[in-house]
Amino acid sequence: MDAAGDDPAAIRLRARCGWRDWLTAGRTAVLSAGALPGLSGLLPRALAADTDHPVRLDAYLGGVAALTPAAAGDVLLSHGPEHGTPAAAWREGGVRPRTLEPRRGLSLTAFPQPVNAFPFLSTEAGRLARALNIGEVHWYTVFGGDRLPEELAMAWALGSTDPAALVTAAAEDVRRHGSWYGQEFHLWTGTTDGPPAHTLTLRADDSYELSGLMTAATTRALLTGGIPPGVHFAADVLDPQETTAALSADPAARIEIS
């Protein structure tokens, strides 16, 4: 099991052993069992569980947090078509590049101050759209400070793999803005006219705690036989409502659904 891991890891695992081999051997691998990806793909499933005909989902994910060198390295590697498409939206069954623009100075319930939101349609968002049969998905990465997105854009442009600059930039943002994390989902059903029919907000002081909670929930499901053999993403195989209820009971995750 991996709290991180995304499509590149899944592709390699499935290539190494075909799905029949995983089933025959009774082996299970679960990827993306953290806050993002992972919880970000599970909470919208809980939000949509009792709704009819979901037609649009908007997601805002991020905040301000210190980065360890290992976490910064993961961020640097989460770039390219195997991870997602910048400025894209999901519309009518496919990725639509160059569709969305950044939203700056955005005030949302999940975040304690105005944030900048940058559209990035992750592969997790695409899997979610297919699973829920949603016609339109807007997926945004949220930054509460300026230094980290600036440094990250520069690193990607230069092809840098050195995490030191990202660690420093994240620390500067924490000094200026504090440490906090959130996820907010807006769901329209039936029609996209008017405000969203349903909203879910998640607020936390520490995104690493959220990853720990998600990993623990995945481990429990794995040990109790709730996940079949094969290579899976956590959000695809955990029970959305049961897991969301368990997270809501922990003081590290403050979840509100309306």
Side-chain angles (χ1 to χ4, degrees):
M1 186 181 64
D2 191 346
D6 209 332
D7 288 59
I11 291 169
R12 287 162 177 75
L13 285 171
R14 289 166 177 161
R16 184 175 303 171
C17 298
W19 69 271
R20 291 183 188 277
D21 295 326
W22 283 92
L23 296 180
T24 302
R27 299 173 62 194
T28 306
V30 186
L31 304 171
S32 300
L36 173 70
L39 191 56
S40 48
L42 183 137
L43 292 178
R45 286 171 164 84
L47 184 62
D50 295 323
T51 63
D52 295 324
H53 192 41
V55 295
R56 174 177 164 182
L57 175 72
D58 286 7
Y60 302 89
L61 317 156
V64 184
L67 287 177
T68 65
D74 283 343
V75 172
L76 286 171
L77 293 173
S78 60
H79 182 57
E82 288 183 322
H83 294 276
T85 308
W90 180 274
R91 288 185 180 167
E92 303 304 331
V95 178
R96 298 292 178 265
R98 298 181 295 278
T99 300
L100 303 176
E101 296 182 352
R103 304 187 66 187
R104 300 183 184 275
L106 193 62
S107 294
L108 294 166
T109 305
F111 311 106
Q113 66 183 50
V115 296
N116 296 326
F118 297 88
F120 181 80
L121 187 73
S122 67
T123 50
E124 178 185 52
R127 290 194 301 272
L128 176 66
R130 292 188 187 95
L132 298 182
N133 193 28
I134 298 180
E136 188 170 3
V137 174
H138 299 176
W139 202 261
Y140 292 90
T141 300
V142 165
F143 293 97
D146 296 323
R147 288 289 295 116
L148 181 58
E150 290 171 355
E151 201 62 51
L152 182 58
M154 181 66 70
W156 279 342
L158 297 176
S160 172
T161 58
D162 183 358
L166 291 193
V167 172
T168 299
E172 290 179 10
D173 281 341
V174 170
R175 282 196 295 271
R176 295 176 184 175
H177 304 284
S179 180
W180 41 268
Y181 183 81
Q183 296 186 4
E184 183 161 327
F185 303 93
H186 301 167
L187 182 69
W188 285 259
T189 58
T191 178
T192 57
D193 294 337
H198 305 280
T199 300
L200 185 151
T201 60
L202 164 68
R203 288 174 289 180
D205 298 325
D206 189 338
S207 61
Y208 294 103
E209 278 192 285
L210 290 180
S211 288
L213 290 171
M214 184 67 172
T215 300
T218 306
T219 301
R220 180 180 179 85
L222 187 61
L223 294 176
T224 56
I227 301 177
V231 179
H232 308 285
F233 296 103
D236 297 342
V237 290
L238 293 181
D239 182 287
Q241 292 170 296
E242 180 181 309
T243 307
T244 300
L247 290 170
S248 298
D250 194 290
R254 302 180 293 278
I255 298 175
E256 298 178 3
I257 300 176
S258 59

